[in-house]
Amino acid sequence: MLGLLPLTLALAAAILPFAPAETPEEPEQEIRIVAQRFHFTPSKLKVKSGARVKFALESRDTFHGFRLEGSGIDVVIPARGRGTVEVEWTAPEPGRYEFVCSKRCGAGHAGMRGSIIVE
């Protein structure tokens, strides 16, 4: 039984350097967006193609939505005082990408939008 211990330790030492990292890579850019009837602040953003972006979304009033067109991201932003929601996105090829409020929030809801320019 004791003869197995050195063999086990040797195998562990040989395998560990090739084990995948346990902590995911941090986003390159973090952007805080505040939703408030009937706009996002900021509503115009610029990021570099390929950048990993974390959006921290919060509301100053009621529940809002955040849908980034063509990305599959569509989340509800909690009402004021109920926290922040975070989503990550990798900026694709250069172009203009629109985001909108996806939760009906009142008369100005249809105009609640913004854009991300990917350079």
Side-chain angles (χ1 to χ4, degrees):
M1 191 69 137
L2 287 176
L4 291 178
L5 184 58
L7 179 60
T8 304
L9 291 174
L11 283 173
I15 293 171
L16 284 177
F18 300 102
E22 291 186 24
T23 55
E25 192 175 316
E26 290 296 315
E28 295 172 29
Q29 190 171 1
E30 292 189 24
I31 300 172
R32 181 174 171 256
I33 297 177
V34 176
Q36 186 172 7
R37 288 188 181 144
F38 295 102
H39 61 277
F40 291 102
T41 304
S43 62
K44 298 194 184 321
L45 306 165
K46 286 187 181 180
V47 299
K48 293 183 183 200
S49 179
R52 290 186 57 236
V53 180
K54 180 179 4 179
F55 296 105
L57 308 162
E58 69 177 78
S59 173
R60 292 256 170 91
D61 48 30
T62 190
F63 288 92
H64 291 282
F66 179 83
R67 181 174 60 234
L68 182 54
E69 304 290 346
S71 72
I73 295 173
D74 189 356
V75 296
V76 173
I77 304 170
R80 175 183 51 211
R82 296 190 181 177
T84 300
V85 65
E86 294 179 345
V87 294
E88 290 189 20
W89 178 64
T90 299
E93 62 188 46
R96 181 185 184 101
Y97 298 86
E98 302 290 324
F99 57 92
V100 299
C101 179
S102 57
K103 181 156 179 55
R104 185 100 174 116
C105 58
H109 167 74
M112 192 169 172
R113 54 186 55 248
S115 61
I116 303 170
I117 304 298
V118 176
E119 300 175 321

